[in-house]
Amino acid sequence: MTTHHPTALTSAGAAAIVGRLRTTFRAGHTKPLDWRRKQLGRLREFLVENGDAIAEALHADLRKSRAEVDTMEIGGTVREIDGLLEHLDGWLEPQHVPVPAHLPRGTSARTEYEPLGVTLVISAWNYPVNLLLVPVAGALAAGNAVVIKPAEQAAATSALLAELLPRYLDRDATAVVVGGAEETTLLLAERFDHIFYTGNGTVGRAVMAAATTHLTPVTLELGGKSPVFVDRDLDIDVVAERLVLTKFTNAGQTCVAPDYILTDPDTAAALEASLTGALLKRFGEDPKASDLYGRIVNERHFDRLTSFLGSGRTVTGGQTDRADRYIAPTVLADVTPEEPVMGEEIFGPVLPIVTVADLDEAIAFINDRDRPLALYAFTDSATTRRRLAAETSSGGLGFGWPMLQLAVSTLPFGGVGESGMGHYRGRFSVETFSHRKGILDVPLT
Ligand code: NAD
């Protein structure tokens, strides 16, 4: 694997990278299970051996705490790799299927996974290790060559990945290309056999448009406003604690973070006090001084987020410091759907509370909007859980603890509608990065 720096990448350079990987793929080097397992093992070694350097880069980019790096970036990716290593052989076994009785005696049918070829993984910046390497692990497990495009907004992490990954992975079958829109556009002009993009819907559309030229399948992992429905009569302190733990991780810059709360007026009032208390407990009197609290990735996102701070009534938070890219954990109450904070995905540490009369109104509110990446609910009622599952659509649905679905790689992860298409993690990654071939075998006599 070689590293290509932005200044170096030209259209001819992009063609050369993809051409080199295609030659490797065509020669069959990436197909044997041994090769795949070795690459996964090397990716795991990269993560385990470079924990300090990775943590340092993520601290520079997003002020991530070591605990968060260890659990979500390194730990989450290592667990994913371990799952692939443990189950890959079984998942790749041919699957025999029944054949109709009128076919000749002895006829058999089966499906087999075959690798797609040369793939492209384009990562977002908010979990710049996990969101890059989990799909890369899937592409390698499925026997593909892969062009790896880290997120340039997380500059220190991107530089580290570009420097170190080539020391671990097969250089003939993988390449790290660093850079932004310009470099990615050059790459997208090439023919890939699958493109896996994580980021926003606008760029997602550009990726999909580029893919049409070569009839390349795409996976788009996008975002959206993930609502949280909070039912009446719950232990509201538990709800508040879990909301704080999830919403304000990485300063709210998580694609599946709770975006806004939907609840009745009484519960909203109780939540105001509980959320304030839970924030104090987690980040102390001055969140700016807390090791557990992150920073906004850049000025553009900082300015976008501060424009939301005028919406509704500020319950707690609201303080900002542009030089430090700091926005205090903020809760807004009495927010109406027309206000700016409800107009787009927040992707930052601002949590609006919107009141609804009941579950019917909450379901209507959710269904009136784009299908979110995740929907969450806190409720004691089995009927409410059933109704939310049956009457709404979202990439995933979580009861009782937002974002914890990320710890379960036996669940597919992906969006629907505006929140994306396709899914990955575990065996779903193998499916995404493979072609499932149907094979019919009829005896000659
Ligand atoms: P972004 O789109 O700016 O960057 C993502 C990648 O796209 C980068 O690698 C970047 O180089 C590339 N890129 C940017 N402009 C491009 C262009 N014009 N052509 C080609 N490539 C281009 O990232 P963002 O929008 O700041 O990310 C935040 C969004 O991503 C949020 O909506 C969030 O919900 C979503 N997200 C989704 C997931 C998921 O797993 N579904 C995870 C993280 C983030």
Side-chain angles (χ1 to χ4, degrees):
M1 181 161 76
T2 45
T3 299
H4 300 269
H5 292 282
T7 46
L9 195 74
T10 57
S11 165
I17 295 165
V18 176
R20 181 166 54 78
L21 268 50
R22 193 167 295 290
T23 303
T24 305
F25 179 75
R26 288 224 180 108
H29 293 321
T30 66
K31 285 186 185 166
L33 211 54
D34 278 353
W35 181 89
R36 306 184 194 194
R37 301 185 70 88
K38 180 162 181 230
Q39 298 310 307
L40 291 172
R42 295 291 287 157
L43 204 53
R44 192 183 195 288
E45 277 165 36
F46 159 72
L47 290 159
V48 173
E49 289 172 4
N50 298 287
D52 289 346
I54 292 170
E56 214 172 286
L58 288 165
H59 191 266
D61 288 331
L62 291 152
R63 192 79 75 90
K64 287 201 194 222
S65 70
R66 183 67 198 240
E68 195 185 316
V69 171
D70 285 343
T71 51
M72 306 191 70
E73 298 272 21
I74 298 178
T77 313
V78 166
R79 276 193 298 281
E80 173 73 16
I81 292 170
D82 287 344
L84 289 167
L85 283 168
E86 186 181 346
H87 299 292
L88 188 58
D89 301 30
W91 291 336
L92 293 175
E93 284 285 309
Q95 293 194 344
H96 291 271
V97 295
V99 292
H102 66 269
L103 264 61
R105 258 175 98 87
T107 296
S108 68
R110 66 184 188 280
T111 65
E112 284 183 16
Y113 285 122
E114 63 178 30
L116 291 169
V118 182
T119 60
L120 170 62
V121 173
I122 306 170
S123 171
W125 49 264
N126 53 335
Y127 292 86
V129 174
N130 184 310
L131 293 176
L132 182 72
L133 297 185
V134 170
V136 164
L140 294 170
N144 297 283
V146 50
V147 176
I148 301 168
K149 204 339 236 119
E152 75 281 11
Q153 297 92 337
T157 310
S158 176
L160 184 79
L161 291 161
E163 183 197 335
L164 294 184
L165 280 177
R167 301 189 195 163
Y168 288 84
L169 298 176
D170 182 341
R171 291 161 188 247
D172 294 324
T174 58
V176 181
V177 177
V178 294
E182 198 184 320
E183 290 74 21
T184 313
T185 303
L186 286 176
L187 283 175
L188 286 168
E190 296 304 312
R191 185 165 80 75
F192 289 94
D193 300 293
H194 193 92
I195 300 172
F196 188 106
Y197 168 80
T198 302
N200 66 64
T202 307
V203 176
R205 281 169 171 78
V207 168
M208 197 165 171
T212 58
T213 310
H214 302 293
L215 215 56
T216 300
V218 293
T219 301
L220 300 179
E221 295 285 342
L222 311 177
K225 291 182 84 63
S226 298
V228 185
F229 174 71
V230 183
D231 214 344
R232 298 177 176 279
D233 303 327
L234 301 174
D235 182 339
I236 209 69
D237 286 340
V238 171
V239 174
E241 204 170 303
R242 292 182 186 180
L243 282 170
V244 163
L245 202 60
T246 51
K247 169 75 185 187
F248 297 101
T249 289
N250 200 25
Q253 300 164 108
T254 306
C255 56
V256 285
D259 189 279
Y260 63 95
I261 293 170
L262 281 176
T263 194
D264 64 273
D266 293 342
T267 309
L271 261 178
E272 287 185 26
S274 284
L275 284 168
T276 305
L279 279 168
L280 194 64
K281 199 167 144 197
R282 179 141 176 85
F283 299 117
E285 292 282 354
D286 181 15
K288 203 177 183 183
S290 167
D291 285 346
L292 296 177
Y293 195 64
R295 295 296 184 268
I296 307 308
V297 68
N298 55 32
E299 276 78 22
R300 185 174 69 80
H301 280 284
F302 178 91
D303 293 341
R304 186 182 62 78
L305 286 162
T306 48
S307 76
F308 295 154
L309 295 175
S311 298
R313 168 172 56 82
T314 305
V315 174
T316 181
Q319 300 81 359
T320 66
D321 177 354
R322 195 169 192 269
D324 192 25
R325 288 181 279 116
Y326 168 79
I327 298 180
T330 300
V331 178
L332 304 174
D334 306 333
V335 174
T336 63
E338 295 72 33
E339 288 175 277
V341 75
M342 291 303 293
E344 61 179 88
E345 178 183 0
I346 297 169
F347 216 56
V350 183
L351 180 60
I353 304 176
V354 177
T355 54
V356 284
D358 52 23
L359 179 64
D360 286 328
E361 210 178 299
I363 289 176
F365 192 97
I366 294 160
N367 289 340
D368 276 347
R369 288 164 174 76
D370 288 339
R371 286 178 280 178
L373 185 56
L375 168 63
Y376 303 111
F378 289 92
T379 176
D380 269 344
S381 156
T383 310
T384 300
R385 287 199 287 269
R386 255 198 316 278
R387 282 198 59 195
L388 284 167
E391 296 176 33
T392 68
S393 176
S394 55
L397 173 60
F399 297 116
W401 198 310
M403 284 165 49
L404 209 54
Q405 72 271 26
L406 294 181
V408 184
S409 69
T410 41
L411 286 173
F413 179 68
V416 59
E418 284 286 324
S419 56
M421 61 182 72
H423 44 238
Y424 73 126
R425 305 290 300 278
R427 72 176 311 151
F428 304 102
S429 285
V430 175
E431 276 174 19
T432 288
F433 286 104
S434 301
H435 165 58
R436 193 169 194 170
K437 183 156 67 181
I439 301 174
L440 186 72
D441 194 346
V442 185
L444 289 177
T445 55

